[in-house]
Structure formats: C-alpha cells, structure tokens
Amino acid sequence: MQVFGLLGNPVGHSLSPPMHEAAYDHLGLEARYVTFEPAPDDLERAIDGAAALGVSGCNVTIPFKRDVLAFVEPDPLAQRIGAVNTVDFGESPPTGHNTDAVGAVRALGRHDVTLERASAVVVGAGGAGRAIAFGLADAGATVTICNRTASKAETLAEAVPGATGGGLGRLPVALSSADLLVNATSVGMEADQSPVPPEALHADLTVMDAVYTPLETRLLRDAAKRGATTVDGAWMLLYQGVAALERWTGESAPVEAMNEALRQGLSSPVAGSGE
Ligand code: NAP
C-alpha cells in the first residue's frame, strides 16, 4: 500500500483526496491519499517523519509552500518560483517540485489557448501568481504582472523572463492588447468581488481564474458577459494534481476520472479551497 498526502495547515475539506483516489481506483493502484496538518513550526519534523515512514509523495499547501524549500532538494523551476507544492520521497533527500506552473499551462492548453507569443496579464504576485507567471513565460508568453502591492509585481517581473510589473492601475492599458488574463489573487473567494474592472474585459480575451471556490467567480461572470472565453479554477487544480500524480507514479493520469471526482467534490457545500 502506497501513501500519498497533502501537507498544510489548515487542510480543511481538501479536494485532493477524492481526486487522487479516483485515479488510484482507475489505475488499480493500492494507494491512499491522506491529509496531514502539522503545527506551523513542525514542518521539518513532518518531512523527516514522512520520509522515515515511507510516504511516497506529498502535496504542500499554505503555509508551507515556501518554507519546505529548506527541507527538500528543489528542482530548478521550484527554485526559481520560490515555492514547492509537490514533494517526491522516492529519492533521498526528497525532491521538491512546483506543479502549479504546469497546472496553469495545461489547463489553458486543454482550452486550446496558444501561449507561444501570446500577450498575458497575471493579476497577483503571491504564491499562485509567481508560479503562473513563470509557467506562462516559459511557455512563450509575454507577461505583465499587476498586483495590489506594486513593488511585489515589479520584483517578480525582474525574475520572470521578458515580464513587466506594476500596480492594479495598469490593468486597463495592459488588457486592451492582451490575449489572456489570469487572476492569481484570492479576490472572489470570500466575497462576490473581482480584481479587474469589467470595462477592461473584451471578447478577444481568454480569462482564467485560479480561484475555484466558487467555481463561477464575479470575474468569470463579467468576462462571459463581455464575450470572453472563460476557464474556471478547477482546471488548474486538476492539472497540478495530474502532474503530481504522474511524477509520483510514472503512470499516465486518468484525467477524466480525476476531473469527475474533483467536480463532484466541488459541488459539495463543504468544498475546501486550500490547495
Ligand atoms: P497568496 O500568496 O496569499 O497571495 C494572495 C494574492 O492576492 C496577492 O497577490 C495579494 O496582493 C492579492 N490580494 C489579496 N487580497 C486582495 C485584494 N483585496 N485586492 C487585490 N489583491 C488582493 O495566495 P496564493 O497562494 O497566491 O493564492 C491565491 C489564490 O489562488 C487563492 O484563491 C488560492 O486558492 C488560489 N490557488 C488556486 C490554485 C489552483 O490550482 N486553482 C493553486 C494555487 C492557488 P498583495 O501582494 O498586495 O497582498
């Protein structure tokens, strides 16, 4: 029996267990996916303990995504992003990876969005914003990062190839010629709000939201009204899980089975939002 898990605090009603276990059932793997909630200052012991107990792999979420870098061997992308969301215990020391970046890219690919030479705007410069900005730039897009705290966007833009960054005030101009907009802020989760003025949206845009609770955010509703193509946050969540599963098992992930389990979990009134 293999054990995989999610390391976070709080992990709440995570959607990863049903999504991953649907894949194990489909692949005939004897495996379980469980949630671990160590105290915030117990991360090193949690990683060492998981390795000693033979845990095969862990996803990592708030508040550990940055701190875990110190206790694993990060791959070059995770190092550049400055965050790990997937630990592989198959090697010693365990290795750290960031599948949020490829999750965003594969979610957009699933919707036939071409990133090579696309003009992309990322709103947000936290953990998700960093991963998405690197993912889009590495896939060939020119990225503009806009964040409430402008200095964070400017600092991130210096690290992301070809990117520029600034405050939210840059959004209307940046969006006027953009092909793609990704919301990587948490705005839209707690309240029915959008970080983007609706009049800045247009029909030539694809708009993806990283927020997945609710699935239909204010931003996506505004975008649909303006004729834009919309991609909800569950697609990115799905594909970061797909990439983690493929790394851990070496198997091709049963994407549709995982998507079905995820969407079913999201329709539950207690669906979590931690990944
Ligand atoms: P984070 O590191 O805490 O960053 C939060 C971001 O939101 C920062 O850029 C912050 O701006 C911005 N922000 C917060 N409140 C704001 C407001 N009222 N107005 C404007 N900007 C605001 O969080 P994170 O880990 O990046 O997560 C962000 C969202 O992405 C969450 O909803 C999370 O659930 C989601 N997410 C989804 C996936 C997925 O697979 N779909 C994966 C990862 C994360 P400042 O820098 O100015 O504070």
Side-chain angles (χ1 to χ4, degrees):
M1 166 78 72
Q2 280 187 287
V3 176
F4 299 93
L6 173 67
L7 207 60
N9 192 338
V11 284
H13 297 279
S14 168
L15 296 155
S16 288
M19 175 170 70
H20 282 272
E21 292 197 343
Y24 308 151
D25 287 347
H26 197 274
L27 294 169
L29 289 180
E30 251 197 81
R32 283 288 165 266
Y33 189 106
V34 293
T35 56
F36 299 111
E37 209 171 84
D41 57 1
D42 252 353
L43 178 61
E44 184 172 11
R45 291 202 314 141
I47 293 289
D48 288 349
L53 291 171
V55 170
S56 298
C58 269
N59 287 125
V60 182
T61 187
I62 290 168
F64 299 128
K65 280 186 180 185
R66 290 184 83 89
D67 293 349
V68 76
L69 278 167
F71 310 123
V72 299
E73 190 68 47
D75 73 11
L77 178 61
Q79 187 84 64
R80 284 162 76 214
I81 294 170
V84 161
N85 81 328
T86 301
V87 176
D88 189 345
F89 290 101
E91 290 158 84
S92 183
T95 55
H97 312 274
N98 191 307
T99 66
D100 284 335
V102 73
V105 168
R106 284 177 75 171
L108 291 164
R110 167 82 182 236
H111 291 81
D112 299 324
V113 176
T114 304
L115 292 173
E116 184 69 45
R117 284 190 285 279
S119 168
V121 176
V122 176
V123 199
R130 291 186 65 84
I132 293 166
F134 277 105
L136 299 183
D138 286 356
T142 302
V143 179
T144 304
I145 304 154
C146 300
N147 193 48
R148 178 176 62 178
T149 309
S151 58
K152 276 173 68 179
E154 287 158 8
T155 304
L156 175 57
E158 284 168 21
V160 174
T164 50
L168 296 178
R170 291 175 66 141
L171 275 170
V173 171
L175 284 171
S176 63
S177 57
D179 308 299
L180 172 65
L181 164 68
V182 182
N183 174 38
T185 74
S186 47
V187 179
M189 249 170 72
E190 301 290 333
D192 190 34
Q193 291 171 347
S194 166
V196 180
E199 58 278 9
L201 303 168
H202 53 82
D204 295 332
L205 270 178
T206 296
V207 180
M208 182 164 85
D209 208 327
V211 172
Y212 52 85
T213 49
L215 265 184
E216 201 189 46
T217 56
R218 172 81 163 264
L219 170 64
L220 293 186
R221 289 203 314 276
D222 287 347
K225 270 188 212 149
R226 296 252 159 186
T229 302
T230 59
V231 180
D232 69 47
W235 291 108
M236 178 175 159
L237 181 61
L238 170 67
Y239 280 103
Q240 63 76 33
V242 162
L245 180 122
E246 290 179 343
R247 168 168 295 281
W248 291 328
T249 66
E251 304 266 0
S252 181
V255 176
E256 299 320 316
M258 292 173 76
N259 190 33
E260 197 180 312
L262 176 59
R263 301 261 164 195
Q264 201 174 333
L266 278 165
S267 64
S268 150
V270 292
S273 57
E275 283 85 355

